[in-house]
Amino acid sequence: MSGKRDWTQTAALVLCTVLLVLSFGQRRRLSDLEQDVWNAQNSIMDEVSCLEGQMASLRSDLKSADDLVRDWSYTPVVNQEKRGLDVDVTVKLKEWQKDATLELLWTSLGITDSKGSLPLVYDGTGGFTGKLEIPLNSEIILEAAIQNGDIRRQESLGSLGDTSVLLPVRCESSGMSGPEYQQNQDGGGVFTISSFHVSLYSDQRKVVKTTGNAFRLRCNGKLLAEQAAKPEEAENYYAAEGEFSAECQTGDVLTWTFFCRDESGVGYEFFLREWSVKEDGLAQNAQGVEWPKLTWDETGWRHGFNI
């Protein structure tokens, strides 16, 4: 009787072991199947994404093939008299009639939005030219309204970008030490920058000649301190010499800028950094849309802007 019980227990143990092995095998198969399904889904999604990209490229190619505009170009120049920018625009058509006309439609997005149009002069061979006067501190979007025989069409030319990138002088910061702020018990404190470096350049990184190069610290918009910028060995690189310190109070807004003049005498003040003085230290601010700021004459350039 005892032997029979032992045999039954052994058989049950073997059966449980077999069932456990089968269970593990089924789980592994299910896991492999789930992985296969997952891989297939990813592959299908990749194929769909690739097809969508190809369709978008095809639509773009078809639209480009259907466009009347072959190419267009522009050249910006600072207009001192009108205190803005003149942009010479040239548009070329793929096909044209003798009586073809083209009107340049522009939209200015900035502190105040505005729209306008400019009829371009036709050269008789599919080319149109004109001078567009645009305000500073804005982004310009252009479209072409074309009348070519019986065909009338409006096509997007794209954006000129922010007018700051159209200026003949541009500036970018390339490194700094600080700032440090030592707060006093009376709520005031001392703001210090140890060093700062900038580079000046024009379109396509060309060398530019400037005068009056200086770093400035403004407090609540007013000039607080100024330091001449020292030229470095590399062309168009300038550095602040030594420490640059100023006293300030909680609530003040400190703006660190770089000033220079181009060969025509136009002054440029470029935003570098800005901080608000808080009770617990400095908080960095984002750049506003009004930068860079330009001055058009020699008077008052140290104390205010003549925009």
Side-chain angles (χ1 to χ4, degrees):
M1 190 72 177
S2 174
K4 185 176 181 181
R5 187 182 304 113
D6 292 342
W7 181 87
T8 302
Q9 290 177 347
T10 301
L13 181 61
V14 170
L15 181 60
C16 287
T17 302
V18 171
L19 290 175
L20 185 61
V21 170
L22 290 174
S23 176
F24 280 134
Q26 290 288 7
R27 287 183 181 180
R28 183 166 185 176
R29 289 175 186 174
L30 285 174
S31 178
D32 291 342
L33 183 60
E34 288 176 350
Q35 185 63 45
D36 291 341
V37 171
W38 175 261
N39 293 337
Q41 287 177 337
N42 286 338
S43 178
I44 292 172
M45 290 175 66
D46 290 340
E47 290 292 335
V48 170
S49 178
C50 182
L51 288 173
E52 288 177 344
Q54 292 175 354
M55 290 297 294
S57 178
L58 179 60
R59 285 193 294 268
S60 177
D61 291 342
L62 290 173
K63 180 182 181 303
S64 178
D66 191 47
D67 285 346
L68 288 175
V69 175
R70 185 179 69 192
D71 58 51
W72 69 286
S73 60
Y74 63 90
T75 303
V77 178
V78 174
N79 187 324
Q80 287 185 260
E81 181 181 353
K82 296 185 178 179
R83 301 187 175 186
L85 284 172
D86 288 344
V87 181
D88 293 321
V89 180
T90 299
V91 181
K92 295 282 188 179
L93 299 184
K94 297 175 183 176
E95 301 176 359
W96 58 88
Q97 303 291 333
K98 292 182 178 180
D99 59 347
T101 63
L102 190 149
E103 190 173 15
L104 192 66
L105 310 178
W106 58 269
T107 301
S108 173
L109 305 176
I111 298 175
T112 57
D113 296 347
S114 58
K115 294 184 178 182
S117 62
L118 174 69
L120 299 189
V121 178
Y122 184 39
D123 66 3
T125 61
F128 297 82
T129 58
K131 188 184 297 293
L132 180 65
E133 299 176 0
I134 62 176
L136 296 172
N137 306 121
S138 62
E139 180 180 356
I140 306 298
I141 299 173
L142 298 180
E143 293 181 297
I146 307 164
Q147 183 72 51
N148 190 33
D150 296 332
I151 300 175
R152 178 162 180 82
R153 189 173 300 168
Q154 187 168 315
E155 296 181 6
S156 172
L157 299 180
S159 171
L160 295 179
D162 190 278
T163 49
S164 63
V165 303
L166 303 178
L167 295 172
V169 181
R170 307 177 200 174
C171 174
E172 65 181 22
S173 60
S174 56
M176 67 177 295
S177 295
E180 295 180 358
Y181 178 64
Q182 284 191 322
Q183 190 172 18
N184 301 327
Q185 293 182 351
D186 61 359
V190 178
F191 172 89
T192 302
I193 291 178
S194 300
S195 65
F196 206 98
H197 303 262
V198 299
S199 61
L200 299 180
Y201 60 95
S202 64
D203 186 32
Q204 298 179 349
R205 298 282 171 171
K206 295 178 181 177
V207 174
V208 293
K209 294 182 179 180
T210 57
T211 58
N213 304 299
F215 290 91
R216 291 176 170 180
L217 181 64
R218 291 186 174 272
C219 181
N220 304 323
K222 295 182 179 180
L223 186 62
L224 187 63
E226 181 178 78
Q227 185 183 90
K230 177 184 177 182
E232 296 191 319
E233 292 182 3
E235 288 184 303
N236 289 355
Y237 277 82
Y238 297 89
E241 294 182 321
E243 288 191 345
F244 199 96
S245 298
E247 294 185 357
C248 53
Q249 299 290 324
T250 301
D252 285 344
V253 175
L254 301 171
T255 310
W256 183 238
T257 69
F258 184 84
F259 178 87
C260 64
R261 286 189 179 277
D262 66 16
E263 293 180 289
S264 69
V266 175
Y268 303 76
E269 187 149 13
F270 296 97
F271 178 98
L272 298 177
R273 298 282 195 280
E274 184 176 89
W275 303 268
S276 292
V277 182
K278 306 289 187 180
E279 291 183 356
D280 57 350
L282 297 175
Q284 187 163 318
N285 300 337
Q287 178 177 339
V289 298
E290 72 277 10
W291 299 95
K293 297 185 178 183
L294 274 61
T295 59
W296 304 94
D297 52 51
E298 296 290 341
T299 61
W301 66 273
R302 287 181 175 275
H303 301 289
F305 295 109
N306 191 12
I307 297 177

